[in-house]
Amino acid sequence: MKLATLKDGTRDGQLIVVSRDLQTAALADAIVGTLQRALDDWTFYAPQLRDLYDALNQARARNTFAFDAKACMAPLPRAFQWADASSYVNHVELVRRARGAEMPPEFRTDPLMYQGGSDDFIGAKDDIVCASEEYGIDFEAEVAVITGDVPMGARPDQALKSIRLVTLVNDVSLRELIPAELAKGFGFFHSKPATSFAPIAATPDELGGDWREGRVHRPMIVHWNGKKVGQPDAGVDMVFHFGQLIAHAAKTRNLRAGTIVGSGTVSNKDAKRGYCCIAEKRCLEMIEHGAPQTAYMKYGDTVKIDMFDEAGKSIFGSIEQAVAPLEAGAHRASSSQL
């Protein structure tokens, strides 16, 4: 089934069920008000939401309306935890090669992961608001999963069973701020602004045979300023599958329902498949030419991230964003209007 969250003036929005073709939707308020509440008691709410989804696809649901991704928040507008990994080791290797460093062998056996801000996710059509172009604004196209409760010490096979939903992510990075932050030894903070998500979060069965071995085996399609720059397959070269990533996150802590785990930037060894972040393009240029030639995003630039099924239909709806300055009025006030 496919779920989304409608903007309704509150922090957590209104849960809606969306048809498989993303054309129609129905409010889920008679069942459960928000996605987080549904995740908290998934075994109770999921069958009811599934019934509504089936009725919607069979044109039997009442009070339906046209689905509009622009009216949606992130599926989970805020989450208890957002842990992003770097499971496409090719991406990490390129970054290190570009600066003349060897990749430690343990990077292939022990996942890299950081804990990002999860109190202010943004919707698929919301602007990427940044205070300065000098920060090195970059997109990062990723796959993410949303889990139920995961006990501390869960094995990868157990962790896979905790996955409730799958979606796409634009994990925006401010590249010029990263070196100084990492040099402090405490990791990312200012260099990782609000993360944006596709409008749809889908149960894994919606992917059919393209969901296997804890990976999504579909191309990630990325356009920058209207030009296609990447189409790497998300199932290829993903060294750690989502069960392993979730188990890694749960090594020393319980993960509660609504935890989001990201794959990291999708990257293939085959450079002809393009790129899912500008930094990777710049690394390839440094390796080949000795210096980067491609600039980071500027105000007014756009990025579009999508994934299609074999029939050419968007699975999660597209992320389509423009970069905007803080002073342009695009800054979103909190729901309390501070």
Side-chain angles (χ1 to χ4, degrees):
M1 82 185 136
K2 298 188 176 185
L3 305 174
T5 294
L6 202 62
K7 295 176 180 177
D8 68 351
T10 67
R11 292 185 188 273
D12 297 310
Q14 169 62 57
L15 182 64
I16 61 174
V17 177
V18 183
S19 62
R20 182 169 288 112
D21 62 6
L22 309 187
Q23 295 302 302
T24 58
L27 292 174
D29 56 343
I31 301 170
V32 62
T34 66
L35 180 54
Q36 182 59 55
R37 283 188 59 195
L39 291 163
D40 285 337
D41 198 354
W42 189 253
T43 56
F44 178 73
Y45 289 119
Q48 300 176 64
L49 292 169
R50 172 72 64 176
D51 287 344
L52 178 55
Y53 181 65
D54 291 341
L56 188 61
N57 286 317
Q58 297 166 16
R60 294 187 292 103
R62 298 180 178 180
N63 301 319
T64 62
F65 54 91
F67 175 66
D68 180 8
K70 293 180 180 179
C72 291
M73 307 169 80
L76 272 179
R78 53 179 174 168
F80 290 114
Q81 186 155 222
W82 159 232
D84 198 20
S86 191
S87 57
Y88 297 88
V89 178
N90 178 66
H91 173 74
V92 182
E93 191 169 22
L94 281 174
V95 171
R96 295 182 74 88
R97 277 179 59 199
R99 65 172 190 259
E102 292 290 329
M103 189 181 75
E106 59 267 24
F107 282 16
R108 294 190 176 276
T109 57
D110 190 30
L112 291 170
M113 184 172 285
Y114 80 94
Q115 190 162 17
S118 60
D119 59 328
D120 187 35
F121 294 142
I122 59 178
K125 313 302 180 182
D126 294 337
D127 287 343
I128 299 169
V129 178
C130 189
S132 172
E133 292 180 326
E134 302 304 311
Y135 289 168
I137 307 162
D138 196 359
F139 52 83
E140 289 192 55
E142 307 182 12
V143 180
V145 296
I146 304 174
T147 77
D149 289 324
V150 183
M152 180 169 55
R155 300 188 312 270
D157 60 318
Q158 296 173 317
L160 274 176
K161 295 177 182 177
S162 75
I163 295 173
R164 303 290 183 250
L165 298 162
V166 184
T167 189
L168 303 183
V169 178
N170 181 13
D171 180 42
V172 177
S173 288
L174 304 179
R175 299 293 184 186
E176 299 296 349
L177 302 184
I178 289 177
E181 287 202 314
L182 294 184
K184 292 180 179 180
F186 255 35
F188 304 123
F189 195 83
H190 291 149
S191 53
K192 288 292 185 177
T195 305
S196 51
F197 289 79
I200 299 294
T203 49
D205 61 285
E206 289 292 326
L207 292 157
D210 293 323
W211 172 257
R212 59 185 187 274
E213 301 170 339
R215 300 172 176 88
V216 176
H217 293 263
R218 295 301 304 167
M220 181 77 79
I221 310 300
V222 181
H223 288 80
W224 178 17
N225 290 333
K227 178 183 177 181
K228 184 190 287 188
V229 296
Q231 53 182 2
D233 193 304
V236 175
D237 302 320
M238 187 180 183
V239 174
F240 304 102
H241 63 66
F242 276 111
Q244 293 170 304
L245 297 180
I246 296 167
H248 179 80
K251 181 176 180 178
T252 60
R253 67 181 75 176
N254 296 314
L255 306 182
R256 294 308 181 192
T259 291
I260 307 175
V261 177
S263 66
T265 307
V266 177
S267 177
N268 287 172
K269 294 178 182 178
D270 181 1
K272 294 179 181 178
R273 302 290 295 181
Y275 54 91
C276 283
C277 70
I278 301 169
E280 188 163 310
K281 172 67 171 173
R282 287 166 59 91
C283 286
L284 290 169
E285 292 169 347
M286 288 181 69
I287 293 167
E288 184 176 355
H289 305 293
Q293 300 176 347
T294 302
Y296 291 117
M297 299 180 84
K298 302 296 183 183
Y299 294 143
D301 276 13
T302 61
V303 61
K304 181 178 181 180
I305 298 168
D306 211 337
M307 184 175 284
F308 301 91
D309 61 20
E310 290 186 357
K313 302 294 185 181
S314 179
I315 301 170
F316 305 100
S318 62
I319 298 172
E320 296 184 60
Q321 299 180 279
V323 178
L326 184 62
E327 64 272 14
H331 180 62
R332 298 170 301 115
S334 73
S335 60
S336 58
Q337 297 299 309
L338 296 177

